[in-house]
Amino acid sequence: DAMVIQNPRYQVTQFGKPVTLSCSQTLNHNVMYWYQQKSSQAPKLLFHYYDKDFNNEADTPDNFQSRRPNTSFCFLDIRSPGLGDAAMYLCATSRGGQGQETQYFGPGTRLLVL
Amino acid sequence: RKEVEQDPGPFNVPEGATVAFNCTYSNSASQSFFWYRQDCRKEPKLLMSVYSSGNEDGRFTAQLNRASQYISLLIRDSKLSDSATYLCVVNPSYPGAGGTSYGKLTFGQGTILTVHP
């Protein structure tokens, strides 16, 4: 039973062409996260939502935006993808609250920028 | 200094071997600790949480030393299927909306394990 779902699994876009990645969850978790992971590197947190409260990491480029229209869905928008944005994008969720920090990851979307 | 440091390996071990991974973290206020496993081109998956008293799950044993800010993972009787990248993950916990707390995970760069026949 899929709990954190990401679509599409693979996305090819052109340099500068906006792209949106989708994440949905069936866990009813309060917190949703977006990570960028490049080859042989650790996942890098871009931003997260606690409910509707958006939290951007200080070093996340302005080119990356996010929306969370409801508890279940969260989107990552890349306004003008560059070649350096090619990576795996991982969505994760956690319940939030004391002792509820475990994060559950979706399968990721692999982005290729041509 | 990186927030979470791991020996990247790679570790190449034969089936049946015992292998240990170490990890250090810099934030002494960190509250929760985990080991995640990541297979090639897949998402990280929780292997086990790490508790102060140490915990064991089958062939896997995790230890935490808060005084030394050190976490370890021991894998006994290695299987071919254990081949993966093992990520040491630390959660410093931050106050969230409404006074609740939630955490941002800080990942180590991962230790690559290859188990061969």
Side-chain angles (χ1 to χ4, degrees):
Chain A
D1 294 336
M3 296 183 290
V4 183
I5 302 161
Q6 290 188 245
N7 286 303
R9 296 291 308 277
Y10 299 91
Q11 176 74 57
V12 181
T13 191
Q14 292 179 331
F15 183 94
K17 184 175 181 180
V19 65
T20 295
L21 309 182
S22 169
C23 177
S24 63
Q25 53 134 338
T26 60
L27 299 164
N28 202 33
H29 280 176
N30 294 311
V31 193
M32 295 187 78
Y33 308 80
W34 278 104
Y35 291 86
Q36 179 192 66
Q37 187 176 26
K38 296 186 176 181
S39 182
S40 302
Q41 296 183 18
K44 178 181 181 297
L45 183 64
L46 296 173
F47 25 57
H48 66 279
Y49 277 92
Y50 190 107
D51 290 332
K52 295 181 180 180
D53 184 24
F54 177 70
N55 298 271
N56 198 31
E57 292 301 295
D59 57 355
T60 298
D62 292 340
N63 197 27
F64 292 86
Q65 304 286 318
S66 186
R67 296 170 283 135
R68 189 178 186 187
N70 54 52
T71 300
S72 301
F73 284 87
C74 194
F75 299 98
L76 169 61
D77 300 309
I78 308 176
R79 293 192 297 188
S80 182
L83 298 178
D85 296 329
M88 170 82 96
Y89 290 87
L90 295 160
C91 175
T93 74
S94 68
R95 187 179 300 278
Q98 196 71 30
Q100 303 290 339
E101 300 93 352
T102 302
Q103 291 187 19
Y104 300 89
F105 286 83
T109 295
R110 189 165 293 279
L111 178 68
L112 180 62
V113 182
L114 300 178
Chain B
R1 182 184 175 188
K2 292 182 181 177
E3 289 188 65
V4 180
E5 291 203 64
Q6 293 181 250
D7 180 348
F11 286 66
N12 293 294
V13 303
E15 275 186 289
T18 295
V19 61
F21 304 139
N22 302 318
C23 170
T24 57
Y25 61 95
S26 60
N27 185 348
S28 59
S30 298
Q31 298 294 316
S32 305
F33 309 88
F34 309 91
W35 283 100
Y36 276 73
R37 169 197 169 125
Q38 187 170 26
D39 292 291
C40 188
R41 302 176 74 83
K42 298 287 183 70
E43 76 274 22
K45 292 186 177 178
L46 180 66
L47 179 65
M48 56 198 306
S49 301
V50 187
Y51 304 113
S52 295
S53 55
N55 48 300
E56 186 174 309
D57 183 2
R59 298 181 292 108
F60 299 85
T61 300
Q63 295 278 350
L64 167 65
N65 184 322
R66 284 188 182 271
S68 301
Q69 295 179 208
Y70 171 94
I71 306 160
S72 65
L73 177 68
L74 183 75
I75 305 176
R76 291 181 299 278
D77 189 23
S78 299
K79 311 292 185 189
L80 296 177
S81 58
D82 294 334
S83 298
T85 297
Y86 290 82
L87 298 162
C88 175
V89 185
V90 173
N91 184 332
S93 284
Y94 294 88
T100 57
S101 69
Y102 67 97
K104 298 195 302 182
L105 298 183
T106 302
F107 288 81
Q109 68 179 102
T111 299
I112 299 170
L113 171 66
T114 301
V115 181
H116 58 82

